[in-house]
Amino acid sequence: MKPIIAGNWKMNGLAASVAEVEALIAKFAGSAPDDRDVLICPPATLVANLAAKFSDEAIQFGGQDCHANSSGAHTGDISAEMLADAGAGFVIVGHSERRADHGESDAVVRAKAEAVLRTGLTPIICVGETEAERKAGKALDIVGAQLKGSLPETVDNIVIAYEPVWAIGTGLVPTNDDIAEMHGFIRTKTRKDTRILYGGSVKPGNAVEILAIADVNGALVGGASLKAEDFYPIVMAAQGED
Ligand code: 13P
């Protein structure tokens, strides 16, 4: 399975951030390796510019969220069609920061994932438990319920990202056994060829170890995707497709 190393820039990045993508490509000595998918999800304001500028470089670009409708009276929102039009290939949906900051339910996340599929793009559907839920021994139940509620009907072309909320931006990471248990569990709920990414404090120092765990088919990287010098070793830490 071809791994995906995806950077989620969150609400970071200005026009000048083009230099960071240039620096990443320079490290690849020209073009990103094609045995792995290299994806950057910048703020929506930058998708069109970056996708146009780097269309030949084997780096793909994606959105961080979208509305479930294709157009209409939804001030401030962006549709999957608009992201596709801007050159995106993927859209993250259901990130825990959106579930928390905007009260997005599983049903809303599913509708967004359906919208992404409708446009021919690939949704990256995020799930993950809070610290309290893990401590209460409920991590598998919570993630199982999120999957049940958030996955679209058609699961041919989806990516799932397991991001424990307590590991995001904290420097904390589950044990390898806990990651393996969760990814193995998610595998039982989806297809054999669905890529399951791990996200939460992935850094150059832990990426090789995490990406070698069974059923970890890539990473969704926040803070460490903002600088080429950090993101590059994470991209290269993945075992490329044979
Ligand atoms: P960090 O890598 O900064 O912990 O963020 C993970 C994340 O939320 C990616 O979507």
Side-chain angles (χ1 to χ4, degrees):
M1 211 180 306
K2 197 174 188 177
I4 306 182
I5 306 298
N8 173 10
W9 283 9
K10 308 191 179 184
M11 199 171 72
N12 299 288
L14 300 170
S17 309
V18 88
E20 230 29 79
V21 183
E22 274 164 355
L24 182 65
I25 289 165
K27 287 182 185 292
F28 291 135
S31 186
D34 60 8
D35 61 351
R36 64 206 68 203
D37 283 325
V38 182
L39 172 67
I40 293 177
C41 299
T45 47
L46 297 181
V47 171
N49 185 27
L50 295 180
K53 196 168 169 70
F54 299 107
S55 60
D56 297 335
E57 314 289 357
I59 292 191
Q60 302 175 75
F61 295 91
Q64 299 176 9
D65 175 52
C66 67
H67 196 279
N69 294 358
S70 19
S71 62
H74 302 287
T75 302
D77 277 314
I78 292 174
S79 69
E81 280 79 357
M82 290 169 176
L83 288 165
D85 189 48
F90 294 78
V91 184
I92 299 170
V93 295
H95 192 282
S96 60
E97 286 152 15
R98 293 215 53 93
R99 289 178 185 262
D101 295 356
H102 300 271
E104 291 187 7
S105 64
D106 288 332
V108 166
V109 175
R110 170 186 279 164
K112 291 181 177 204
E114 300 278 10
V116 176
L117 288 171
R118 184 180 70 223
T119 63
L121 305 188
T122 303
I124 300 177
I125 303 161
C126 301
V127 294
E129 81 286 355
T130 63
E131 186 177 23
E133 288 161 349
R134 176 153 290 271
K135 283 197 169 138
K138 293 188 185 147
L140 296 182
D141 289 348
I142 293 291
V143 168
Q146 287 174 338
L147 290 171
K148 195 159 190 271
S150 312
L151 293 193
E153 214 146 281
T154 314
V155 290
D156 289 357
N157 182 32
I158 66 166
V159 174
I160 296 172
Y162 168 56
E163 298 205 308
V165 177
W166 52 273
I168 294 175
T170 59
L172 301 173
V173 176
T175 64
N176 291 352
D177 285 351
D178 285 345
I179 294 175
E181 180 188 40
M182 183 61 81
H183 279 241
F185 171 73
I186 295 171
R187 177 68 63 214
T188 67
K189 308 280 176 200
T190 187
R191 289 166 51 125
K192 269 210 294 256
D193 60 353
T194 297
R195 292 179 286 185
I196 307 171
L197 315 185
Y198 169 79
S201 296
V202 176
K203 306 287 177 203
N206 61 19
V208 170
E209 199 181 335
I210 291 172
L211 287 163
I213 297 171
D215 285 316
V216 174
N217 312 116
L220 183 53
V221 185
S225 70
L226 295 172
K227 291 266 164 237
E229 66 184 46
D230 294 329
F231 195 45
Y232 174 75
I234 298 175
V235 170
M236 298 318 289
Q239 275 290 343
E241 189 181 42
D242 290 335

